[in-house]
Structures are given as C-alpha cells and as structure tokens.
Amino acid sequence: LKVSEETERKIDAAREGYRSAAVRSSIAYFVLHDLSKVDPMYQYSLDSYVDLFVKNIEDSRSITKKDSAELSLVERVQVINDYHTLSVYKSTCIGLFERHKLLFSLQLCFNIMKQKGEIPQREFSFFSQGGSSIGIDMQEPNAHASWLGDKD
C-alpha cells in the first residue's frame, strides 16, 4: 500500500510538471477552433489535433537528443511548447487564406501572452474593442491635458 501511494505521488508530480504544455496546447487548439468564426471553411478536428500534439511530443525528442546534456523537466516542457506552437503555426498557415494568416498569428500570440500574464486584460480589451469598452466613469483622467485635449 505504501509503495502504491509513493508511486501515485510520483505520477502526480510528473503530471503537474507537464501542465504548462497542456495549457499551451489547449490555447493553440482553441485559437484554431475560433477560426471557424472568421470563415466557416476553417474546421479543425480535436482528434487530428491530439494526433498532431502526440506527434510533436515525439518529434521534439529528436531535438533534445542532439543536446548532450540532459534537460530538466522545465527545459523539456519549454522544448515541447516551442516545437508544438511552431508546428501548429506552420501546418495551419498552409490551409489559411493569405488575408487570415496575420489574424491567426495575432490571436495565437495574444492568447499565449495573456496566459503568461504579459498583457493586462484591461489593456487588451481597450486594444481589441476600443475606448467604448471602458465606461466614462472608469476612465483615468487625462494626464496630458495641456497638449492632448479631451475633445476635437
């Protein structure tokens, strides 16, 4: 019984170590899924995405084998994230119209940055929706009123 409990703790610890890879892959999948809102032609199967993810995990091992030093778990997860993100980007761009490639890149980048906390939600909302997303009562006062007027 003690051996099984210890094994369970080791499995849980290993699983937690790969959580950021799972988060990154889910971000990429949902960006792909949301492309159907841009054009109904863009439909992506979860099954094929899972197959791509598993293949990318296996293929990313070949990159780490070229390194003579053993990678830590954090480094391994970073390699998986980088490899998978680039693979999803390349394989998706093959099937996108040229005019939608920049939108896909922007969405993927913004969602990754939001997950990392590199883009504050309030600033992202302002960028994506304009000034109307902030009520007049929530707006900060104009810090540069002397040279930047509030009205036309």
Side-chain angles (χ1 to χ4, degrees):
L1 187 62
K2 290 181 181 181
V3 172
S4 66
E5 289 174 353
E6 180 63 29
T7 304
E8 182 180 354
R9 277 193 288 274
K10 288 179 182 178
I11 291 171
D12 288 344
R15 183 178 57 224
E16 279 303 310
Y18 287 95
R19 184 172 295 275
S20 66
V23 169
R24 172 69 66 88
S25 65
S26 68
I27 288 170
Y29 174 74
F30 285 107
V31 169
L32 289 176
H33 181 267
D34 288 345
L35 283 174
S36 65
K37 296 174 184 174
V38 174
D39 190 318
M41 179 185 74
Y42 301 135
Q43 299 288 325
Y44 295 92
S45 160
L46 180 59
D47 290 335
S48 65
Y49 184 80
V50 169
D51 291 342
L52 177 65
F53 183 62
V54 170
K55 180 184 179 303
N56 288 336
I57 290 174
E58 293 168 2
D59 292 349
S60 69
R61 286 192 179 116
S62 65
I63 292 173
T64 59
K65 286 181 182 175
K66 293 177 185 173
D67 247 344
S68 58
E70 194 66 30
L71 293 177
S72 69
L73 180 61
V74 173
E75 293 169 327
R76 174 73 181 126
V77 168
Q78 187 61 47
V79 167
I80 291 171
N81 282 343
D82 293 345
Y83 190 89
H84 181 64
T85 303
L86 182 61
S87 175
V88 167
Y89 175 78
K90 286 180 176 178
S91 63
T92 302
C93 282
I94 290 170
L96 292 179
F97 290 125
E98 197 63 36
R99 65 182 181 263
H100 296 145
K101 290 179 182 179
L102 183 59
L103 176 64
F104 170 64
S105 301
L106 188 69
Q107 287 285 18
L108 187 60
C109 182
F110 275 162
N111 281 294
I112 290 169
M113 290 177 73
K114 280 184 359 184
Q115 184 272 326
K116 289 180 174 181
E118 295 174 357
I119 299 177
Q121 182 59 42
R122 185 172 173 185
E123 290 178 17
F124 179 75
S125 295
F126 182 78
F127 173 76
S128 63
Q129 299 171 359
S132 63
S133 66
I134 302 174
I136 192 77
D137 57 326
M138 294 180 63
Q139 289 181 358
E140 295 179 17
N142 185 353
H144 303 285
S146 62
W147 62 271
L148 182 63
D150 288 333
K151 296 185 181 184
D152 292 350

